[in-house]
Amino acid sequence: MERELPRIISVDDHVIEPAHLFESWLPAKCRDRGPKPFTAGIGELRYIGGRYRFTTDPAGQITDWWEYEGEIFPYKRIIAAVGFSREEMTLEGITREEMRPGCWDPAERLKDMDLNHVEASLCFPTFPRFCGQTFAEAKDKKVALACVRAYNDWMVEEWCGDSGGRLIPLCLIPLWDVDLAVAEIRRNAARGVRAVTFSEIPTYLGLPSIHCGYWDPFFAVCEETGTVVNMHIGSSSQMPAASPDAPPAVQATLSFNNAMASMTDFLFSGVLVRFPRLKLAYSEGQMGWIPYALERADDVWEEHRAWGGVRDLIPEPPSAYYYRQIYCCFFRDRHGIDSIDVVGRDNATFETDYPHVDSTFPHTRQLALDHVQGLDDATVHKLMRGNAIRMLGLDLG
């Protein structure tokens, strides 16, 4: 008899924003300067400064786009890949009509979750980018702030509103102003939001470091409200690569490096010492790398703290703060499962990455069963849903 698997709570999925989002949710006075959807052929692809840049071309593949402050952003097949074969998951443009409707329609998303053995899902943005970099880079910060709030209102009231708690709101902050960020956390926490997205390495975005104290009010309000700080790989707008002309496969293989660098930064920052109830979550970083990263961090703390700048800053071994306050997540990571006692049976969560090219849809249940076959029922429950429930404070069993 095949083993029963608890219904999954996925802590890393994605949403394709509907074309009406900003027209419906931005204040009327901002709409003419806010993001606007359009459809056009896609042209030349260039990779500049860690980002793909596109041009339009009347003869190119018909694609749905956003235009905002003169910049254009196309939707591509790799970010709406469910329903396509592996050979079809390319950087070609795509329209919402060509996408599986669950990419952008919440009712259809719930149907796909049912097909995929998923009870609840936390979704990262697409057009705003993983932590709202699109608005942080905007010139008109008043409109950008209105866009952040409009996105959050849409996320809470429309995307998640009729889902009965199955779609879990994940909100943005105005990254360019910590006081505005604190206010936005409070505004959303007051309506039950318990998750915010943040950059894994804010200095890569030209923002202050986590070491300098600038972000302490943000961390304090997240601790106070029980808001989890979620950091997705690529939320620094850079992906690691060994060489500037390496193929994208190198970046895809090394993507966990950003999570590893970010986690090490936090472990030695003192942030987790000052805010002992703050919760951090690393999204799509997998977990097989964590045992050695913790071993090395503890070794540095033990052997090198006199000159390493952390003797008086970090009173306990860094791994103690990881086990107390940090969550990882996985979907294909057998090495991480083999090391689950060191990764932490209380620290690991699961994801499906719907609808991205890495998504396990519609085979998530079988893939999860293959991974957990050697684990006891209590651990399987923790990995599939229990740890996510505790992390996010969900009203689920």
Side-chain angles (χ1 to χ4, degrees), residues 210-213 216 264-275 301 305-306 308-318 321 324:
I210 63 168
H211 298 274
C212 71
D216 280 8
T264 305
D265 218 22
F266 268 101
L267 290 178
F268 285 113
S269 68
V271 168
L272 302 179
V273 179
R274 295 193 299 278
F275 306 103
W301 179 86
R305 62 180 179 268
V310 294
R311 179 172 55 188
D312 302 319
L313 185 64
I314 312 297
E316 298 180 65
Y321 304 102
R324 186 176 75 186

Side-chain angles (χ1 to χ4, degrees), residues 243-264:
S243 306
D245 55 349
V250 173
Q251 293 181 336
T253 303
L254 294 176
S255 59
F256 71 92
N257 279 8
N258 281 2
M260 182 167 60
S262 176
M263 189 182 82
T264 305

Side-chain angles (χ1 to χ4, degrees), residues 6 8 42 79 87 91 101 120 142 144-145 150 167-168 206-207 227 239 243 246 251 262 303 312 315 317 325 360 374:
I8 292 162
I42 195 167
I79 60 175
E87 290 71 26
L91 288 169
K142 288 185 179 179
L145 177 60
L167 295 172
I168 305 162
L207 298 170
T227 300
M239 294 295 281
S243 306
Q251 293 181 336
S262 176
E303 304 293 337
D312 302 319
Q325 294 173 253
T360 55

